Amino acid sequence: QNIHFFIRIRENTLINHKKGQTVKKLFTHLKVNQGFFYQDLRLICGVKVYVSAHRSSKAMMILIGSEFTCLAIHKYAKRWEIETMFKTFKTQGFQLESSHISDLERFKKLLALLAIAFYWAYLSGIVKDKEIQPIIVSKSTGRKEYYSGGVPLFVYGLDALREDTLMLIIK
């Protein structure tokens, strides 16, 4: 269908042309906060793809894609931000699917309103985290934790708006 894609894969995914070699072995040379991309196609899961990776202090993110670009990690990160927003629209705050709106114009307006509310709650979470009460960092994952599996700053901000905690800053 000629649809371009970037997909995150596990480190233990096998490279087809080499028996037993995992994709992780392609990136053993990476240091923390370093990225790398291969300019040639690799056969992974029976498909010829471009492979890139970035190692953080916590984990390594490996992506495969249908097009060559040195910006694969950056593009994927942008896409993930959008996925996070839609997660909050659906199940982690706004329950969009329970609205049962079928009229396209009304749905567009609701989506625009939710985008504004998401942004407001997210910024409120940032303010509360920095100015009022920092979110606790998990010792096991090193990530900010607020409701397991949640979107920490959004949920933190949404709760702050519900509790009027941010009114302390405004006054």
Side-chain angles (χ1 to χ4, degrees), residues 12-23:
N12 63 352
T13 303
L14 295 175
I15 300 174
N16 288 11
H17 69 282
K18 297 199 178 176
K19 269 192 170 175
Q21 185 178 8
T22 62
V23 72

Side-chain angles (χ1 to χ4, degrees), residues 89 111-121:
F89 283 5
L111 209 54
L113 182 64
L114 289 180
I116 292 167
F118 172 82
Y119 188 67
W120 184 16

Side-chain angles (χ1 to χ4, degrees), residues 37 60 76 83 119 136 162:
F37 56 91
M60 182 160 35
Y76 184 81
E83 292 292 331
Y119 188 67
I136 297 168
R162 287 181 184 140

Side-chain angles (χ1 to χ4, degrees), residues 2-17:
N2 202 22
I3 298 172
H4 297 292
F5 65 88
F6 292 107
I7 300 172
R8 186 174 184 176
I9 60 172
R10 294 177 183 257
E11 295 177 3
N12 63 352
T13 303
L14 295 175
I15 300 174
N16 288 11
H17 69 282

